[in-house]
């Protein structure tokens, strides 16, 4: 039970990275988004010393290309590796698990930062995050007082926010072109997914379980997962709920979802079988038709380059006849 409670606490923080998104995000390359991309490209061509403002409004100065980076949250780490600066990462959180190289990197704590460990690594850049910066104010202040630049990365609330986050980290580590390339690729993939999904004539109702029974939590409207379901032309069965909410089994059964997606298989054995065997759920369409699937939480909750992979996995699970065997 303690392990489960710790997981749910961590999941709350992770889900909060993606909460509150706009559900009408335009995935296409509109004239406005093209202008934004051009502006981002132009803005990121500067040389060191580099002065930028982080999401908390702090002025951050980097005298030169950072050679030793500490990341305080997994999404920052994934982005840093993706843009090509992974070799500079010398410290990560104990929750980091991707890419595999992070297993060999020094850990600086979890939700509580080990400030002494951070300082001992002598970083020239620390990547904090807007989702938990308020809980780490004392630690961040101590790190800044030691003369180490700390950049608070934006708490992305939609796809656009994720794109901006990738580009901002790319700028900090002098990998602007790679960051812009990643963003362009993500936009292109999402656009293609939406185009294919638009051909679906009978959208399915999907219930997402982000934690198992007896404490079943789901994501309603105003969440990133809701936006992902809309991107694949599926209906969120819990759309009448707002945000990240706990629901009892009776209420879930009444929703009669066509598909159930679990996101906790990496720490709970046989999640699909457990859902399929629930007593009293026999007449739920998803149970009756064995339409229960597990999707790894990391690819649908971490605000980084793998989010589009998460959308693809959701699409393949919900609409295998449209998205399968590609």
């Amino acid at each position: 039970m303690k392990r489960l409670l710790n997981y749910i606490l961590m999941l709350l923080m992770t889900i909060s990275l993606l909460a509150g998104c706009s559900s009408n995000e335009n995935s296409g390359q509109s004239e406005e988004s093209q202008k934004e991309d051009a502006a981002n490209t132009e803005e990121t061509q500067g040389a060191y010393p580099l002065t930028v403002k982080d999401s908390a409004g702090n002025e951050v100065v980097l005298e030169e290309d950072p050679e030793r980076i500490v990341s305080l949250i997994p999404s920052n780490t994934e982005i840093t590796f993706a843009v090509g600066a992974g070799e500079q990462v010398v410290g990560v959180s104990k929750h980091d698990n991707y890419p595999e190289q992070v297993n060999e990197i020094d850990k600086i704590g979890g939700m509580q930062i080990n400030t002494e460990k951070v300082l001992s690594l002598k970083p020239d850049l620390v990547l904090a995050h807007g989702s938990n910066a308020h809980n780490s104010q004392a630690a961040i202040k101590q790190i800044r007082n030691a003369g180490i630049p700390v950049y608070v990365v934006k708490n992305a609330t939609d796809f656009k926010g994720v794109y901006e986050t990738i580009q901002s980290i790319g700028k900090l580590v002098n990998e602007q072109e790679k960051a812009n390339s990643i963003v362009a690729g993500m936009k292109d993939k999402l656009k293609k997914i939406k185009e294919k999904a638009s051909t679906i004539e009978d959208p399915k109702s999907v219930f997402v379980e982000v934690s198992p029974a007896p404490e079943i939590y789901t994501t309603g409207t105003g969440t990133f997962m809701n936006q992902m379901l809309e991107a694949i032309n599926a209906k969120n069965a819990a759309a009448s709920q707002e945000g990240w909410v706990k629901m009892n089994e009776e209420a879930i059964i009444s929703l009669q979802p066509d598909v159930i997606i679990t996101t906790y298989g990496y720490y709970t054995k046989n999640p699909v079988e457990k859902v399929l065997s629930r007593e009293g759920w026999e007449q739920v369409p998803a149970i009756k038709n064995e339409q229960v699937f597990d999707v790894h939480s990391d690819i649908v909750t971490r605000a980084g380059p793998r989010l589009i992979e998460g959308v693809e996995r959701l699409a393949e699970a919900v609409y295998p006849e449209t998205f399968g065997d590609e």
Side-chain angles (χ1 to χ4, degrees):
M1 181 59 71
K2 182 177 180 181
R3 180 183 178 187
L4 178 58
L5 291 174
N6 286 337
Y7 167 76
I8 291 176
L9 183 62
M10 182 58 191
L11 189 60
L12 272 168
M13 182 185 76
T14 306
I15 292 291
S16 72
L17 310 187
L18 304 174
C21 68
S22 168
S23 62
N24 59 1
E25 170 87 13
N26 180 6
S27 67
Q29 280 288 83
S30 65
E31 182 178 351
E32 181 180 354
S33 66
Q34 289 174 354
K35 289 180 180 179
E36 288 178 357
D37 288 347
N40 283 327
T41 301
E42 181 178 352
E43 179 185 353
T44 57
Q45 298 308 311
Y48 297 93
L50 177 67
T51 301
V52 293
K53 278 192 176 181
D54 66 11
S55 66
N58 303 300
E59 188 174 86
V60 180
V61 179
L62 295 177
E63 296 296 337
E64 55 187 2
D65 190 348
E67 297 180 354
R68 297 180 64 81
I69 301 169
V70 168
S71 171
L72 304 184
I73 197 168
S75 57
N76 287 349
T77 307
E78 289 200 21
I79 293 171
T80 304
F81 271 86
V83 300
E87 291 185 0
Q88 290 99 287
V89 178
V90 296
V92 297
S93 83
K94 69 178 183 180
H95 301 295
D96 278 74
N97 57 7
Y98 187 89
E100 290 186 4
Q101 296 95 306
V102 300
N103 296 318
E104 307 301 323
I105 297 176
D106 285 336
K107 303 300 184 288
I108 50 79
M111 298 185 72
Q112 297 295 324
I113 300 170
N114 184 336
T115 310
E116 291 184 2
K117 180 64 177 179
V118 173
L119 296 178
S120 73
L121 294 172
K122 299 181 179 179
D124 39 31
L125 173 63
V126 171
L127 294 174
H129 199 276
S131 65
N132 62 357
H134 61 286
N135 293 327
S136 309
Q137 287 182 354
I140 291 175
K141 182 178 180 180
Q142 186 176 347
I143 294 169
R144 284 195 174 117
N145 288 342
I148 298 170
V150 178
Y151 184 91
V152 180
V153 175
K154 180 180 180 179
N155 182 17
T157 59
D158 52 23
F159 284 114
K160 180 181 178 182
V162 175
Y163 302 150
E164 292 173 350
T165 295
I166 293 170
Q167 289 170 323
S168 66
I169 291 180
K171 180 176 182 178
L172 290 169
V173 300
N174 200 23
E175 294 287 354
Q176 302 94 321
E177 290 187 8
K178 178 63 175 177
N180 289 335
S181 176
I182 290 172
V183 168
M186 292 176 71
K187 288 181 177 180
D188 183 60
K189 286 183 179 179
L190 185 60
K191 181 181 180 181
K192 290 178 179 177
I193 290 170
K194 286 190 173 185
E195 288 175 347
K196 182 173 288 190
S198 68
T199 66
I200 296 169
E201 297 181 353
D202 187 17
K204 293 181 181 179
S205 170
V206 180
F207 183 80
V208 180
E209 285 193 11
V210 295
S211 66
E215 302 287 323
I216 300 177
Y217 280 80
T218 190
T219 55
T221 57
T223 65
F224 204 100
M225 183 67 74
N226 186 74
Q227 187 183 28
M228 287 178 157
L229 291 175
E230 290 182 338
I232 66 170
N233 197 13
K235 296 180 290 186
N236 185 354
S240 62
Q241 305 292 326
E242 181 70 25
W244 199 66
V245 294
K246 178 181 176 181
M247 293 187 67
N248 60 47
E249 293 194 26
E250 183 178 355
I252 299 169
I253 291 172
S254 70
L255 297 175
Q256 292 288 289
D258 299 310
V259 180
I260 294 175
I261 300 292
T262 64
T263 64
Y264 46 80
Y266 72 100
Y267 81 97
T268 297
K269 291 184 179 179
N270 304 318
V272 171
E273 289 79 358
K274 289 179 179 178
V275 173
L276 288 171
S277 63
R278 286 176 181 163
E279 293 185 8
W281 289 54
E282 295 83 3
Q283 297 307 309
V284 174
I287 305 300
K288 188 189 306 184
N289 300 317
E290 297 187 351
Q291 294 297 294
V292 181
F293 308 96
D294 186 75
V295 176
H296 201 293
S297 175
D298 290 352
I299 62 173
V300 291
T301 61
R302 286 187 184 171
R306 292 195 294 161
L307 274 179
I308 303 303
E309 179 184 342
V311 179
E312 291 173 334
R313 297 292 82 79
L314 284 174
E316 291 166 1
V318 178
Y319 298 115
E321 66 281 1
T322 301
F323 292 93
D325 299 324
E326 292 190 347

